[in-house]
Amino acid sequence: MSDNVTAIKGFADLFSPDSDAFTHMEAVARETFSRYGFTELRTPILERTELFCRGIGTETDVVQKEMYTFPDRKGRSLTLRPEATAGVMRAYIESGRSGDAVTKLFTIGPMFRYERPQKGRMRQFHQINCECLGPSEPYADAELVTMAMRFLEALGLKDLSLQLNSLGCPTCRPAYRETLRKWLSELDESALCEDCRRRMVTNPLRVLDCKVPSCREHTAETPKILDHNCPDCAAHFETVRRLLDAEKVPYVINHRLVRGLDYYTRTTFEIVSDQIGAQGTVAGGGRYDGLVEQLGGPNVSGLGFACGMERLALLLPQPEAGADRPDFFTVVLTDVARDAAYALTQALRDAGFRGEMGFSSRSIKSAMRQAGKSGARFCLLIGEDELAAQTVMLKNMDSGEQSSVAFADVVARLQK
Ligand code: HAM
């Protein structure tokens, strides 16, 4: 026998009940988001590499280290989407929707990042992603954050921490960046990791995001971006906070929250759980005024967020055991009854019941074992006598009770 072909590292197959959990999350997302006026957009998984370079930023880890990029047969550089936002922006601009006052879109699907796989971190992972295009008002920020929290609550997630920051705008951020760069340059160089020594020059805000303990320790007292927001950004953020307070959406301010992608302005947020280890950020997002324009569209404001479905799945409450038991399992006791049993099984499904039939003519014992394993509430046994009398033996799999029921009455009996 030749060797098995195995799945690629960091790419998973999802069987039930994991796949059921994904279906459930998607259903709750659709229901929640539709209440806020979002409609679904499905974009391609493959895009031109340039889209992500321009959209996400060439200085980010995602673009520098994590993209699955390859030439197609004509030598054009393509990339498996590492996130949904850039593709949604492209579709939004290309479809001419940027003339509309407001466009709210959600996307669900796989994303690809070449990261080191660990618990809650995959190379193919799935995001539930929302983008709201048009509104520049802080009400949109508060509404989006509230919707994200409502969605997670509807999934039954508990003990989540909502972290907020404001990254300012092109008016105030450059000055803060300079202040931070100057502050960092006064540190002993050896205090920072190699990446941070480079980031200090190219993108000093990213130093705040570094996970290396010595970097975090030495940058504990850096100047805070909120103290350097311009009056417009400060007023915007104040309103967002006031609206969240009024809706009783609890949050904490995290001065280090700069996000891993370059497009953010003003409000940024992450939702974090301490229950699933190092990869505890279940959702992240914020405002990105300027991104649409950067990708060749008009000057339209925007904001959005994405949840990682693998991480949400780790936190979902376990469904009640036996909550979705099948209704029946049909066991044939003799070959001559097989067609009648088959017909009855189909009729029960047509009547809305869930169940299966054992086709094999192996032993009755193994058929009963299959019935037990299926978890069905009832077992339908059909042998020669039953066939002659046009009845089935109906066995309650919990109590063991058995009774003879006419074919014509089975639906009514199961409905009880
Ligand atoms: P992000 O923070 O890069 O943001 O990803 C959002 C979420 O996706 C993370 O919080 C995490 O739950 C999940 N995630 C990211 N990488 C992985 C991975 N390798 N394995 C499992 N889960 C992962 C974005 O992608 C932005 N596009 C969000 C956004 C939308 N901002 C505005 N609009």
Side-chain angles (χ1 to χ4, degrees):
M1 211 166 70
S2 58
D3 287 343
N4 288 343
V5 179
T6 55
I8 306 167
K9 182 177 173 188
F11 287 63
D13 302 306
L14 286 180
F15 287 93
S16 177
D18 297 335
S19 51
D20 304 332
F22 272 57
T23 308
H24 172 65
M25 288 187 266
E26 291 173 9
V28 174
R30 286 173 212 285
E31 202 283 316
T32 308
F33 302 159
S34 71
R35 279 191 269 139
Y36 291 78
F38 282 77
T39 57
E40 183 169 13
L41 167 67
R42 300 187 190 210
T43 62
I45 284 168
L46 212 49
E47 297 274 2
R48 293 177 205 280
T49 304
E50 184 197 351
L51 175 70
F52 302 113
C53 296
R54 278 170 62 184
I56 297 175
T58 47
E59 248 314 297
T60 58
D61 281 354
V62 170
V63 170
Q64 284 197 343
K65 304 178 189 167
E66 296 169 4
M67 295 205 306
Y68 280 90
T69 297
F70 52 88
D72 73 1
R73 289 179 183 276
K74 290 223 166 114
R76 291 167 292 220
S77 182
L78 302 180
T79 295
L80 284 172
R81 62 181 184 194
E83 56 116 48
T85 309
V88 174
M89 296 306 112
R90 180 202 48 69
Y92 167 76
I93 296 166
E94 210 173 331
S95 66
R97 283 173 169 72
S98 48
D100 299 347
V102 184
T103 307
K104 295 177 176 178
L105 300 165
F106 73 89
T107 320
I108 303 178
M111 309 292 153
F112 306 85
R113 294 186 193 176
Y114 197 90
E115 295 189 87
R116 197 169 47 76
Q118 63 181 95
K119 185 177 173 192
R121 191 163 72 192
M122 298 294 291
R123 289 181 175 170
Q124 175 177 306
F125 60 99
H126 297 76
Q127 280 186 346
I128 293 178
N129 181 90
C130 291
E131 311 293 355
C132 172
L133 293 143
S136 56
E137 297 81 1
Y139 285 84
D141 308 44
E143 183 180 76
L144 187 84
V145 173
T146 304
M147 182 179 81
M149 292 306 285
R150 295 288 185 261
F151 166 55
L152 300 176
E153 285 160 19
L155 286 176
L157 270 52
K158 296 200 169 65
D159 301 326
L160 296 172
S161 155
L162 167 64
Q163 310 196 348
L164 278 192
N165 198 9
S166 170
L167 294 186
C169 67
T171 309
C172 54
R173 190 155 47 181
Y176 171 71
R177 194 185 283 130
E178 272 322 302
T179 307
L180 182 63
R181 197 196 312 270
K182 191 155 172 294
W183 190 93
L184 292 169
S185 70
E186 282 160 15
L187 283 180
D188 177 0
E189 260 215 7
S190 64
L192 298 177
C193 72
E194 199 180 312
D195 275 345
C196 280
R197 289 207 286 269
R198 184 174 45 78
R199 288 173 185 139
M200 215 171 90
V201 183
T202 55
N203 194 347
L205 262 75
R206 187 96 327 116
V207 174
L208 299 178
D209 197 28
C210 183
K211 302 287 178 288
V212 175
S214 61
C215 289
R216 292 187 84 79
E217 196 183 310
H218 285 96
T219 57
E221 301 299 324
T222 49
K224 297 182 171 113
I225 195 160
L226 283 184
D227 297 336
H228 292 76
N229 272 191
C230 62
D232 282 353
C233 286
H236 185 99
F237 196 53
E238 268 313 303
T239 306
V240 175
R241 293 184 61 169
R242 178 169 57 73
L243 294 169
L244 292 177
D245 291 339
E247 289 299 315
K248 302 210 167 20
V249 178
Y251 58 85
V252 292
I253 299 296
N254 177 353
H255 296 289
R256 281 184 179 273
L257 182 64
V258 294
R259 308 276 300 126
L261 313 162
D262 272 353
Y263 45 64
Y264 293 104
T265 53
R266 295 195 166 168
T267 318
T268 49
F269 66 99
E270 285 187 352
I271 303 170
V272 183
S273 162
D274 61 4
Q275 317 273 303
I276 50 175
Q279 303 304 319
T281 306
V282 295
R287 184 168 274 286
Y288 46 74
D289 298 344
L291 178 59
V292 174
E293 201 170 11
Q294 199 177 309
L295 290 173
N299 180 11
V300 173
S301 295
L303 64 164
F305 73 96
C307 301
M309 295 180 77
E310 280 75 5
R311 295 185 191 178
L312 297 182
L314 291 171
L315 289 163
L316 285 182
Q318 289 302 311
E320 227 175 278
D324 58 351
R325 288 173 75 179
D327 300 300
F328 70 93
F329 193 95
T330 311
V331 172
V332 191
L333 304 173
T334 172
D335 279 341
V336 291
R338 197 170 306 282
D339 283 9
Y342 180 79
L344 184 63
T345 301
Q346 296 303 333
L348 287 178
R349 290 172 182 148
D350 290 343
F353 295 106
R354 291 192 306 138
E356 291 173 275
M357 165 178 165
F359 296 136
S360 148
S361 50
R362 277 178 298 165
S363 72
I364 294 167
K365 210 167 132 198
S366 97
M368 287 308 292
R369 213 178 301 126
Q370 217 184 327
K373 205 172 158 209
S374 80
R377 293 187 295 123
F378 289 95
C379 183
L380 274 55
L381 298 125
I382 308 180
E384 222 164 317
D385 294 349
E386 285 77 17
L387 183 63
Q390 295 284 292
T391 61
V392 298
M393 189 59 79
L394 191 69
K395 179 175 177 184
N396 181 320
M397 295 296 273
D398 297 327
S399 65
E401 223 176 284
Q402 298 198 27
S403 53
S404 175
V405 181
F407 280 179
D409 296 336
V410 177
V411 166
R413 273 298 286 275
L414 286 187
Q415 262 157 358
K416 275 196 190 157

